[in-house]
Amino acid sequence: MPGSPTDARPPVGESASAAVSVADYLWFADLALGGMTRIVDDLGDELANRRPPIAGVNTPYAILTHCLGVLEYWGGATVAGRSIERDRAAEFTASGPVAPLLERAAAAQRRLADDLVGLDSWGEPSSVRRDPEDPVPYSETKGAVLLHILEELFQHLGQLEITRDALRAQP
């Protein structure tokens, strides 16, 4: 597949690059997070904590909680180099009132902006181990990590939209 991490590529810094400002990047991250928080807020405490009748589907609350974990790990630990504590498994069983979750989401958005201050997008990310069996670009540069964050946020926004629709379709 063209652009695959397995394609031969010139060494980092020697290839053409695409630049994006931190402000533009945050606009897209905020777009995805804003969509997720609106959905969870609109669903309210009861529906946001309910699983639709589809095997393996998470609750809207858990999906947003997981995305906050994504921001903390990938933005905080790998881009900013912050020491973090993350219980990824617990993200998928999280539940509770919506209002504090929305406050955590707003704080995570602010934290991501702080994590990107002084960003060196060509810098090597912390806490990412290269795996020759699974070569991924986000093991190489912080800029690729940021793209991975957007990939996760928009993927989970779509999942959350489908989950919302399934919950609302229930009698």
Side-chain angles (χ1 to χ4, degrees):
M1 170 203 280
S4 168
T6 58
D7 289 348
R9 297 189 315 182
V12 172
E14 292 183 23
S15 63
S17 64
V20 62
S21 71
V22 168
D24 288 346
Y25 178 84
L26 290 171
W27 185 90
F28 282 99
D30 290 348
L31 179 67
L33 283 166
M36 286 188 266
T37 58
R38 278 189 298 282
I39 289 170
V40 170
D41 189 27
D42 288 346
L43 289 172
D45 291 339
E46 183 183 341
L47 284 179
N49 286 284
R50 186 182 297 166
R51 291 179 190 274
I54 303 167
V57 174
N58 294 300
T59 67
Y61 191 102
I63 295 168
L64 180 53
T65 299
H66 171 63
C67 287
L68 301 183
V70 166
L71 289 176
E72 185 70 0
Y73 177 75
W74 290 102
T78 68
V79 172
R82 285 191 289 108
S83 177
I84 66 149
E85 291 184 31
R86 181 183 185 196
D87 184 348
R88 188 177 185 279
E91 294 166 11
F92 297 102
T93 59
S95 63
V98 166
L101 179 61
L102 298 178
E103 290 172 13
R104 286 181 30 226
Q109 284 179 275
R110 292 188 299 272
R111 187 70 177 253
L112 179 61
D114 292 343
D115 286 341
L116 299 187
V117 171
L119 173 69
D120 171 12
S121 62
W122 288 108
E124 186 176 338
S126 305
S127 307
V128 180
R129 304 292 173 252
R130 289 176 182 83
D131 180 355
E133 300 299 314
D134 185 23
V136 292
Y138 54 81
S139 67
E140 303 294 323
T141 68
K142 291 179 180 184
V145 168
L146 294 179
L147 292 176
H148 179 58
I149 292 170
L150 285 181
E151 170 194 28
E152 289 290 316
L153 293 178
F154 280 102
Q155 168 186 282
H156 289 303
L157 172 58
Q159 178 188 16
L160 192 49
E161 291 168 336
I162 292 168
T163 301
R164 172 204 56 209
D165 296 347
L167 285 169
R168 289 199 171 142
Q170 288 183 300

